[in-house]
Amino acid sequence: MTTVDTTPPASETRSTAASLLRLARKNKLSTFGLVMFVLILLAAVFAPLIAPHDPLAQNIVDRLQDRSAEYPLGTDKFGRDTFSRILYGLRVSLLIGLTSTALAMVLGCALGIIAGYRGGWIDTVIMRCMDMLLAFPTLITGLFIVAVLGANFINIVLAITVTILPKFARVARAPTIALKEREFVEAARALGYSDTRIMSIHIAPNIMGEVVVLASLWAAYAIRIEAYLSFIGLGVAPPTPTLGTMIRDGFNNILDAPYVSIYPGFAVLLVVLSLNLVGDGLRDAIDPKLRD
Amino acid sequence: MTSPLMQIEDLSISFKIDDEWCRAVNGISFDIMPNETLCIVGESGCGKSITAMSLMKLLPDSAKLGGSVMFGERNMLSLSERELEDVRGSRIAMIFQEPMTSLNPVLTVGEQIAEPLVLHKGMSWSAARREARNLLDLVRIPDAQKRLGQYPHELSGGMRQRVMIAIGLACRPEILIADEPTTALDVTIQAQVLALLEDIRKEQGLSIVMITHDLGVVANVADRVAVMYAGEMVETGPVEAIFDAPSHPYTQALLRTVPRADAAFELSPISGQVPPIQAMPDGCRFSPRCAEEHRACRVTPKLSPGPHSVACWAREGAA
């Protein structure tokens, strides 16, 4: 029973940091994604410091220009600096995308766990409602909500939340059904824990691995929906730049100045890619079995 | 004569199978005395585990319960879910068979030991964590401080069962129900865990109800034994009486299935099988497998009074 422990007892924080570092070395691609996402976040946060121009300032003389020292990523049809507009657009897009994903994750997981844990008619009611939402194509649901409630920041967040919420509910429900049969849930009941406590403290952390991976994917998707909505004119009202509106604006001149749409499109790609890479890494980091 | 800690009176548990109520446990009565180890033995499917679960009313809603489980002044079977939550884990605790799956894989050992303390005793997390350290010492886990921060998968089976015991003991319960606590462990670890439970029982003065099918375990730790067969209690008594002078034909047959160091005899299995719950024989449920016969076997026998009691017509007036 007694083992000789030769390694000096490391303090907990140090061992956590060390294992994270080991994880980072093991998973280079995710680390790359994380660095990329952090850079994008920083760029969005410090947009006013980085942007060379006012994103709203029009300069008709310099319209539809290609890259130059003055305009790093060219200008749009009003002569506004694309690079500055992307930086500011990222702020809006990220804020909408991440807020709605976080909301959908919390609400969707809560609904999914309750449905899975309680079973019976509660399960049926919750999941049939989710199926109803899933039956509509995401864009249609989003479009409907924004069209009825009006296009502003809160309604767009709401629309995106509602469209991706059922996906979280589904993902949370399945493992909950499996987990509630596990002995540790029975042990928790034997310790006098209430159902609410078991669901929130004992079941929720067990499914977080799967949920977080999905959250990163759906965050990317949420950012795309925001772009779609803006693209068809139901996004945040102009002149506030968002990545979707910028892509749409460029479409009028897609043949003679394709870069007006391409650069914001590329920004969407980078955000989505980095989020997906981060998601994979997070899954490994959260699962204690892989934490070593 | 001390009064019993818990009195189980005419407990019956039924489940609905194919639209028919089947009695998995059929009117059993027994007492749990303070500071004793009571072993409930019997083969698989005889109702030991659900009997143990019903002591805390931990059965699914689909089960129909009858009789009473008096714990102090209160009947556990008629408490609300809310009241039960106050008793579970704080006054009655339970440890399970599978230490591999009974711990939450994503919470640290320290968190899991501290949680019942925070919930039931209203301790702060930091105080509960200090207490968790003491509890790990109590269950003799070396290097307790380091173990607190570890996850269940980092511990061996024996260690995990010790952690389970620590969690069960956290709130100093009066009764600890152990459902086959050593079945999943190898023999040396099994002996260590049993010795630990025995020591803790003496130190803390709690009562242990141990569910097992292993007569070796019974002989080691039990003060009193209750033998169950097909949902009924067929014999109860002090451990010496059960082992030296088993009375019920089932107990006798059960003891002949285990090799003993102090007596030489031919091992013999019990012929036949436990009848399925849907088709229990009338009267004595052991009668179809029993070698002895009595004219009254078609009528259900009652446990005879006295410390060593047996439910068998052929033993009436004998025990």
Side-chain angles (χ1 to χ4, degrees), chain A residues 61-97:
Chain A
V61 183
D62 291 337
R63 66 194 293 263
L64 296 177
Q65 285 196 353
D66 204 347
R67 286 177 312 222
S68 64
E70 173 80 18
Y71 303 108
L73 297 177
T75 59
D76 67 4
K77 63 183 172 192
F78 297 115
R80 296 177 295 199
D81 178 39
T82 303
F83 181 61
S84 307
R85 284 179 67 74
I86 285 178
L87 289 176
Y88 278 89
L90 272 174
R91 295 182 122 190
V92 182
S93 295
L94 282 175
L95 195 62
I96 290 177

mmCIF file of all heavy atoms in Angstrom, chain A residues 61-97:
data_model
loop_
_atom_site.group_PDB
_atom_site.id
_atom_site.type_symbol
_atom_site.label_atom_id
_atom_site.label_comp_id
_atom_site.label_asym_id
_atom_site.label_seq_id
_atom_site.Cartn_x
_atom_site.Cartn_y
_atom_site.Cartn_z
ATOM 1 N N VAL A 61 -12.996 60.246 -52.199
ATOM 2 C CA VAL A 61 -11.883 60.309 -53.148
ATOM 3 C C VAL A 61 -11.120 58.981 -53.178
ATOM 4 O O VAL A 61 -10.702 58.497 -54.220
ATOM 5 C CB VAL A 61 -10.922 61.457 -52.761
ATOM 6 C CG1 VAL A 61 -9.797 61.573 -53.776
ATOM 7 C CG2 VAL A 61 -11.692 62.757 -52.646
ATOM 8 N N ASP A 62 -10.983 58.346 -51.976
ATOM 9 C CA ASP A 62 -10.196 57.116 -51.898
ATOM 10 C C ASP A 62 -11.072 55.867 -51.951
ATOM 11 O O ASP A 62 -10.736 54.830 -51.382
ATOM 12 C CB ASP A 62 -9.394 57.094 -50.587
ATOM 13 C CG ASP A 62 -8.301 58.139 -50.580
ATOM 14 O OD1 ASP A 62 -7.888 58.533 -51.683
ATOM 15 O OD2 ASP A 62 -7.887 58.544 -49.487
ATOM 16 N N ARG A 63 -12.207 55.911 -52.620
ATOM 17 C CA ARG A 63 -13.117 54.755 -52.552
ATOM 18 C C ARG A 63 -12.585 53.556 -53.343
ATOM 19 O O ARG A 63 -11.856 53.703 -54.325
ATOM 20 C CB ARG A 63 -14.524 55.138 -53.028
ATOM 21 C CG ARG A 63 -14.640 55.498 -54.502
ATOM 22 C CD ARG A 63 -15.964 56.173 -54.756
ATOM 23 N NE ARG A 63 -17.068 55.239 -54.557
ATOM 24 C CZ ARG A 63 -17.646 54.597 -55.558
ATOM 25 N NH1 ARG A 63 -17.232 54.773 -56.803
ATOM 26 N NH2 ARG A 63 -18.643 53.772 -55.336
ATOM 27 N N LEU A 64 -12.969 52.344 -52.866
ATOM 28 C CA LEU A 64 -12.647 51.082 -53.519
ATOM 29 C C LEU A 64 -11.176 50.917 -53.857
ATOM 30 O O LEU A 64 -10.816 50.450 -54.923
ATOM 31 C CB LEU A 64 -13.499 50.920 -54.787
ATOM 32 C CG LEU A 64 -15.016 50.810 -54.553
ATOM 33 C CD1 LEU A 64 -15.738 50.731 -55.896
ATOM 34 C CD2 LEU A 64 -15.356 49.621 -53.675
ATOM 35 N N GLN A 65 -10.332 51.297 -52.939
ATOM 36 C CA GLN A 65 -8.901 51.128 -53.189
ATOM 37 C C GLN A 65 -8.430 49.751 -52.736
ATOM 38 O O GLN A 65 -9.016 49.152 -51.846
ATOM 39 C CB GLN A 65 -8.127 52.185 -52.407
ATOM 40 C CG GLN A 65 -8.234 53.549 -53.047
ATOM 41 C CD GLN A 65 -7.187 54.485 -52.532
ATOM 42 O OE1 GLN A 65 -6.457 54.144 -51.604
ATOM 43 N NE2 GLN A 65 -7.113 55.661 -53.123
ATOM 44 N N ASP A 66 -7.369 49.281 -53.355
ATOM 45 C CA ASP A 66 -6.731 48.033 -52.910
ATOM 46 C C ASP A 66 -5.776 48.368 -51.770
ATOM 47 O O ASP A 66 -5.680 49.527 -51.351
ATOM 48 C CB ASP A 66 -6.001 47.386 -54.086
ATOM 49 C CG ASP A 66 -5.850 45.883 -53.872
ATOM 50 O OD1 ASP A 66 -6.085 45.430 -52.725
ATOM 51 O OD2 ASP A 66 -5.507 45.177 -54.838
ATOM 52 N N ARG A 67 -5.039 47.338 -51.283
ATOM 53 C CA ARG A 67 -4.145 47.565 -50.151
ATOM 54 C C ARG A 67 -3.126 48.660 -50.449
ATOM 55 O O ARG A 67 -2.634 48.775 -51.569
ATOM 56 C CB ARG A 67 -3.374 46.280 -49.826
ATOM 57 C CG ARG A 67 -4.227 45.244 -49.143
ATOM 58 C CD ARG A 67 -3.396 44.030 -48.946
ATOM 59 N NE ARG A 67 -2.714 43.686 -50.189
ATOM 60 C CZ ARG A 67 -2.593 42.450 -50.644
ATOM 61 N NH1 ARG A 67 -3.085 41.454 -49.956
ATOM 62 N NH2 ARG A 67 -1.963 42.207 -51.771
ATOM 63 N N SER A 68 -2.823 49.412 -49.423
ATOM 64 C CA SER A 68 -1.789 50.430 -49.563
ATOM 65 C C SER A 68 -1.253 50.728 -48.181
ATOM 66 O O SER A 68 -1.785 50.220 -47.189
ATOM 67 C CB SER A 68 -2.380 51.699 -50.186
ATOM 68 O OG SER A 68 -3.353 52.230 -49.303
ATOM 69 N N ALA A 69 -0.208 51.546 -48.091
ATOM 70 C CA ALA A 69 0.340 51.897 -46.790
ATOM 71 C C ALA A 69 -0.684 52.683 -45.985
ATOM 72 O O ALA A 69 -0.829 52.500 -44.782
ATOM 73 C CB ALA A 69 1.618 52.730 -46.966
ATOM 74 N N GLU A 70 -1.409 53.505 -46.672
ATOM 75 C CA GLU A 70 -2.428 54.324 -46.017
ATOM 76 C C GLU A 70 -3.599 53.480 -45.524
ATOM 77 O O GLU A 70 -4.048 53.619 -44.398
ATOM 78 C CB GLU A 70 -2.922 55.374 -47.034
ATOM 79 C CG GLU A 70 -4.104 56.200 -46.581
ATOM 80 C CD GLU A 70 -3.695 57.331 -45.646
ATOM 81 O OE1 GLU A 70 -2.504 57.659 -45.637
ATOM 82 O OE2 GLU A 70 -4.582 57.855 -44.920
ATOM 83 N N TYR A 71 -4.092 52.587 -46.415
ATOM 84 C CA TYR A 71 -5.217 51.705 -46.091
ATOM 85 C C TYR A 71 -4.751 50.248 -46.164
ATOM 86 O O TYR A 71 -4.734 49.671 -47.248
ATOM 87 C CB TYR A 71 -6.379 51.930 -47.068
ATOM 88 C CG TYR A 71 -6.853 53.369 -47.105
ATOM 89 C CD1 TYR A 71 -6.584 54.183 -48.201
ATOM 90 C CD2 TYR A 71 -7.568 53.895 -46.023
ATOM 91 C CE1 TYR A 71 -7.009 55.511 -48.225
ATOM 92 C CE2 TYR A 71 -7.992 55.213 -46.049
ATOM 93 C CZ TYR A 71 -7.713 56.018 -47.145
ATOM 94 O OH TYR A 71 -8.136 57.306 -47.169
ATOM 95 N N PRO A 72 -4.379 49.644 -45.033
ATOM 96 C CA PRO A 72 -3.745 48.306 -45.050
ATOM 97 C C PRO A 72 -4.575 47.256 -45.778
ATOM 98 O O PRO A 72 -4.019 46.354 -46.404
ATOM 99 C CB PRO A 72 -3.629 47.956 -43.568
ATOM 100 C CG PRO A 72 -3.724 49.242 -42.831
ATOM 101 C CD PRO A 72 -4.535 50.169 -43.678
ATOM 102 N N LEU A 73 -5.896 47.333 -45.688
ATOM 103 C CA LEU A 73 -6.734 46.343 -46.373
ATOM 104 C C LEU A 73 -7.681 47.021 -47.359
ATOM 105 O O LEU A 73 -8.753 46.507 -47.669
ATOM 106 C CB LEU A 73 -7.534 45.514 -45.357
ATOM 107 C CG LEU A 73 -6.717 44.654 -44.381
ATOM 108 C CD1 LEU A 73 -7.636 43.954 -43.394
ATOM 109 C CD2 LEU A 73 -5.875 43.625 -45.127
ATOM 110 N N GLY A 74 -7.287 48.180 -47.831
ATOM 111 C CA GLY A 74 -8.107 48.850 -48.827
ATOM 112 C C GLY A 74 -9.267 49.628 -48.225
ATOM 113 O O GLY A 74 -9.386 49.770 -47.005
ATOM 114 N N THR A 75 -10.161 50.102 -49.129
ATOM 115 C CA THR A 75 -11.314 50.880 -48.673
ATOM 116 C C THR A 75 -12.575 50.367 -49.344
ATOM 117 O O THR A 75 -12.514 49.635 -50.328
ATOM 118 C CB THR A 75 -11.167 52.363 -49.035
ATOM 119 O OG1 THR A 75 -11.042 52.458 -50.466
ATOM 120 C CG2 THR A 75 -9.962 52.987 -48.374
ATOM 121 N N ASP A 76 -13.754 50.722 -48.767
ATOM 122 C CA ASP A 76 -15.019 50.310 -49.389
ATOM 123 C C ASP A 76 -15.556 51.414 -50.286
ATOM 124 O O ASP A 76 -14.858 52.385 -50.581
ATOM 125 C CB ASP A 76 -16.028 49.874 -48.318
ATOM 126 C CG ASP A 76 -16.467 51.038 -47.440
ATOM 127 O OD1 ASP A 76 -16.044 52.184 -47.716
ATOM 128 O OD2 ASP A 76 -17.207 50.806 -46.469
ATOM 129 N N LYS A 77 -16.807 51.269 -50.701
ATOM 130 C CA LYS A 77 -17.327 52.185 -51.721
ATOM 131 C C LYS A 77 -17.518 53.611 -51.204
ATOM 132 O O LYS A 77 -17.714 54.536 -51.974
ATOM 133 C CB LYS A 77 -18.645 51.663 -52.285
ATOM 134 C CG LYS A 77 -19.760 51.589 -51.243
ATOM 135 C CD LYS A 77 -21.018 50.993 -51.838
ATOM 136 C CE LYS A 77 -22.020 50.754 -50.698
ATOM 137 N NZ LYS A 77 -23.147 49.950 -51.093
ATOM 138 N N PHE A 78 -17.480 53.781 -49.868
ATOM 139 C CA PHE A 78 -17.538 55.141 -49.326
ATOM 140 C C PHE A 78 -16.151 55.642 -48.934
ATOM 141 O O PHE A 78 -16.025 56.672 -48.307
ATOM 142 C CB PHE A 78 -18.443 55.201 -48.094
ATOM 143 C CG PHE A 78 -19.876 54.861 -48.393
ATOM 144 C CD1 PHE A 78 -20.471 53.744 -47.849
ATOM 145 C CD2 PHE A 78 -20.624 55.679 -49.238
ATOM 146 C CE1 PHE A 78 -21.786 53.435 -48.132
ATOM 147 C CE2 PHE A 78 -21.942 55.370 -49.522
ATOM 148 C CZ PHE A 78 -22.536 54.240 -48.977
ATOM 149 N N GLY A 79 -15.140 54.839 -49.262
ATOM 150 C CA GLY A 79 -13.783 55.242 -48.922
ATOM 151 C C GLY A 79 -13.449 55.049 -47.461
ATOM 152 O O GLY A 79 -12.520 55.656 -46.929
ATOM 153 N N ARG A 80 -14.213 54.165 -46.751
ATOM 154 C CA ARG A 80 -13.902 53.913 -45.347
ATOM 155 C C ARG A 80 -12.841 52.828 -45.265
ATOM 156 O O ARG A 80 -12.857 51.866 -46.056
ATOM 157 C CB ARG A 80 -15.163 53.464 -44.594
ATOM 158 C CG ARG A 80 -16.217 54.559 -44.553
ATOM 159 C CD ARG A 80 -17.481 54.095 -43.882
ATOM 160 N NE ARG A 80 -18.154 53.035 -44.639
ATOM 161 C CZ ARG A 80 -19.446 52.722 -44.472
ATOM 162 N NH1 ARG A 80 -20.186 53.368 -43.590
ATOM 163 N NH2 ARG A 80 -19.995 51.770 -45.181
ATOM 164 N N ASP A 81 -11.937 52.945 -44.314
ATOM 165 C CA ASP A 81 -10.816 52.021 -44.195
ATOM 166 C C ASP A 81 -11.305 50.626 -43.773
ATOM 167 O O ASP A 81 -11.846 50.458 -42.677
ATOM 168 C CB ASP A 81 -9.812 52.560 -43.164
ATOM 169 C CG ASP A 81 -8.657 51.601 -42.964
ATOM 170 O OD1 ASP A 81 -8.208 51.002 -43.971
ATOM 171 O OD2 ASP A 81 -8.225 51.436 -41.805
ATOM 172 N N THR A 82 -11.091 49.612 -44.613
ATOM 173 C CA THR A 82 -11.581 48.263 -44.338
ATOM 174 C C THR A 82 -10.969 47.687 -43.061
ATOM 175 O O THR A 82 -11.645 47.070 -42.252
ATOM 176 C CB THR A 82 -11.282 47.330 -45.528
ATOM 177 O OG1 THR A 82 -11.885 47.897 -46.682
ATOM 178 C CG2 THR A 82 -11.825 45.941 -45.296
ATOM 179 N N PHE A 83 -9.660 47.912 -42.876
ATOM 180 C CA PHE A 83 -8.977 47.357 -41.707
ATOM 181 C C PHE A 83 -9.597 47.895 -40.417
ATOM 182 O O PHE A 83 -9.914 47.125 -39.505
ATOM 183 C CB PHE A 83 -7.481 47.697 -41.778
ATOM 184 C CG PHE A 83 -6.683 47.147 -40.622
ATOM 185 C CD1 PHE A 83 -6.622 45.778 -40.390
ATOM 186 C CD2 PHE A 83 -6.004 48.004 -39.754
ATOM 187 C CE1 PHE A 83 -5.896 45.278 -39.326
ATOM 188 C CE2 PHE A 83 -5.284 47.503 -38.681
ATOM 189 C CZ PHE A 83 -5.227 46.132 -38.474
ATOM 190 N N SER A 84 -9.803 49.196 -40.359
ATOM 191 C CA SER A 84 -10.405 49.783 -39.156
ATOM 192 C C SER A 84 -11.816 49.260 -38.955
ATOM 193 O O SER A 84 -12.237 48.961 -37.835
ATOM 194 C CB SER A 84 -10.448 51.311 -39.272
ATOM 195 O OG SER A 84 -9.178 51.802 -39.567
ATOM 196 N N ARG A 85 -12.541 49.135 -40.079
ATOM 197 C CA ARG A 85 -13.918 48.656 -39.965
ATOM 198 C C ARG A 85 -13.967 47.195 -39.516
ATOM 199 O O ARG A 85 -14.848 46.804 -38.757
ATOM 200 C CB ARG A 85 -14.651 48.828 -41.301
ATOM 201 C CG ARG A 85 -15.049 50.269 -41.554
ATOM 202 C CD ARG A 85 -15.753 50.449 -42.873
ATOM 203 N NE ARG A 85 -17.065 49.801 -42.937
ATOM 204 C CZ ARG A 85 -18.147 50.265 -42.322
ATOM 205 N NH1 ARG A 85 -18.081 51.343 -41.587
ATOM 206 N NH2 ARG A 85 -19.288 49.641 -42.461
ATOM 207 N N ILE A 86 -12.994 46.381 -39.954
ATOM 208 C CA ILE A 86 -12.955 44.981 -39.512
ATOM 209 C C ILE A 86 -12.726 44.932 -38.002
ATOM 210 O O ILE A 86 -13.382 44.174 -37.280
ATOM 211 C CB ILE A 86 -11.863 44.188 -40.264
ATOM 212 C CG1 ILE A 86 -12.331 43.894 -41.691
ATOM 213 C CG2 ILE A 86 -11.544 42.875 -39.543
ATOM 214 C CD1 ILE A 86 -11.319 43.155 -42.535
ATOM 215 N N LEU A 87 -11.785 45.769 -37.518
ATOM 216 C CA LEU A 87 -11.500 45.765 -36.083
ATOM 217 C C LEU A 87 -12.747 46.110 -35.285
ATOM 218 O O LEU A 87 -13.093 45.429 -34.318
ATOM 219 C CB LEU A 87 -10.386 46.762 -35.766
ATOM 220 C CG LEU A 87 -8.987 46.371 -36.247
ATOM 221 C CD1 LEU A 87 -8.005 47.486 -35.942
ATOM 222 C CD2 LEU A 87 -8.542 45.079 -35.597
ATOM 223 N N TYR A 88 -13.461 47.140 -35.717
ATOM 224 C CA TYR A 88 -14.680 47.530 -35.002
ATOM 225 C C TYR A 88 -15.795 46.509 -35.233
ATOM 226 O O TYR A 88 -16.593 46.233 -34.340
ATOM 227 C CB TYR A 88 -15.132 48.939 -35.425
ATOM 228 C CG TYR A 88 -14.380 50.022 -34.702
ATOM 229 C CD1 TYR A 88 -13.196 50.536 -35.195
ATOM 230 C CD2 TYR A 88 -14.856 50.504 -33.483
ATOM 231 C CE1 TYR A 88 -12.493 51.508 -34.513
ATOM 232 C CE2 TYR A 88 -14.160 51.476 -32.793
ATOM 233 C CZ TYR A 88 -12.980 51.981 -33.310
ATOM 234 O OH TYR A 88 -12.296 52.930 -32.630
ATOM 235 N N GLY A 89 -15.825 45.959 -36.440
ATOM 236 C CA GLY A 89 -16.833 44.949 -36.756
ATOM 237 C C GLY A 89 -16.666 43.710 -35.898
ATOM 238 O O GLY A 89 -17.638 43.096 -35.462
ATOM 239 N N LEU A 90 -15.403 43.354 -35.640
ATOM 240 C CA LEU A 90 -15.123 42.202 -34.788
ATOM 241 C C LEU A 90 -15.754 42.380 -33.413
ATOM 242 O O LEU A 90 -16.273 41.433 -32.822
ATOM 243 C CB LEU A 90 -13.609 42.032 -34.618
ATOM 244 C CG LEU A 90 -12.867 41.196 -35.649
ATOM 245 C CD1 LEU A 90 -11.373 41.283 -35.398
ATOM 246 C CD2 LEU A 90 -13.329 39.751 -35.610
ATOM 247 N N ARG A 91 -15.668 43.631 -32.905
ATOM 248 C CA ARG A 91 -16.237 43.893 -31.578
ATOM 249 C C ARG A 91 -17.701 43.502 -31.550
ATOM 250 O O ARG A 91 -18.146 42.763 -30.684
ATOM 251 C CB ARG A 91 -16.150 45.390 -31.246
ATOM 252 C CG ARG A 91 -14.767 45.903 -31.111
ATOM 253 C CD ARG A 91 -14.819 47.354 -30.736
ATOM 254 N NE ARG A 91 -14.104 47.555 -29.488
ATOM 255 C CZ ARG A 91 -14.120 48.674 -28.802
ATOM 256 N NH1 ARG A 91 -14.842 49.688 -29.208
ATOM 257 N NH2 ARG A 91 -13.415 48.777 -27.697
ATOM 258 N N VAL A 92 -18.452 44.027 -32.525
ATOM 259 C CA VAL A 92 -19.891 43.758 -32.541
ATOM 260 C C VAL A 92 -20.151 42.270 -32.774
ATOM 261 O O VAL A 92 -20.931 41.634 -32.063
ATOM 262 C CB VAL A 92 -20.577 44.613 -33.631
ATOM 263 C CG1 VAL A 92 -22.076 44.376 -33.612
ATOM 264 C CG2 VAL A 92 -20.247 46.073 -33.426
ATOM 265 N N SER A 93 -19.464 41.704 -33.773
ATOM 266 C CA SER A 93 -19.711 40.304 -34.114
ATOM 267 C C SER A 93 -19.372 39.375 -32.956
ATOM 268 O O SER A 93 -20.129 38.462 -32.633
ATOM 269 C CB SER A 93 -18.891 39.909 -35.339
ATOM 270 O OG SER A 93 -19.334 40.642 -36.448
ATOM 271 N N LEU A 94 -18.199 39.611 -32.335
ATOM 272 C CA LEU A 94 -17.797 38.750 -31.223
ATOM 273 C C LEU A 94 -18.758 38.894 -30.054
ATOM 274 O O LEU A 94 -19.150 37.908 -29.438
ATOM 275 C CB LEU A 94 -16.383 39.090 -30.768
ATOM 276 C CG LEU A 94 -15.249 38.551 -31.637
ATOM 277 C CD1 LEU A 94 -13.913 39.071 -31.137
ATOM 278 C CD2 LEU A 94 -15.249 37.033 -31.646
ATOM 279 N N LEU A 95 -19.128 40.131 -29.775
ATOM 280 C CA LEU A 95 -20.018 40.367 -28.637
ATOM 281 C C LEU A 95 -21.348 39.648 -28.843
ATOM 282 O O LEU A 95 -21.830 38.927 -27.965
ATOM 283 C CB LEU A 95 -20.256 41.871 -28.456
ATOM 284 C CG LEU A 95 -20.855 42.259 -27.110
ATOM 285 C CD1 LEU A 95 -19.913 41.873 -25.990
ATOM 286 C CD2 LEU A 95 -21.142 43.760 -27.068
ATOM 287 N N ILE A 96 -21.902 39.799 -30.049
ATOM 288 C CA ILE A 96 -23.175 39.128 -30.344
ATOM 289 C C ILE A 96 -22.999 37.611 -30.318
ATOM 290 O O ILE A 96 -23.762 36.888 -29.676
ATOM 291 C CB ILE A 96 -23.727 39.588 -31.708
ATOM 292 C CG1 ILE A 96 -24.192 41.046 -31.611
ATOM 293 C CG2 ILE A 96 -24.880 38.696 -32.163
ATOM 294 C CD1 ILE A 96 -24.685 41.628 -32.912
ATOM 295 N N GLY A 97 -21.963 37.149 -30.990
ATOM 296 C CA GLY A 97 -21.751 35.702 -31.088
ATOM 297 C C GLY A 97 -21.513 35.057 -29.739
ATOM 298 O O GLY A 97 -22.147 34.054 -29.394
#
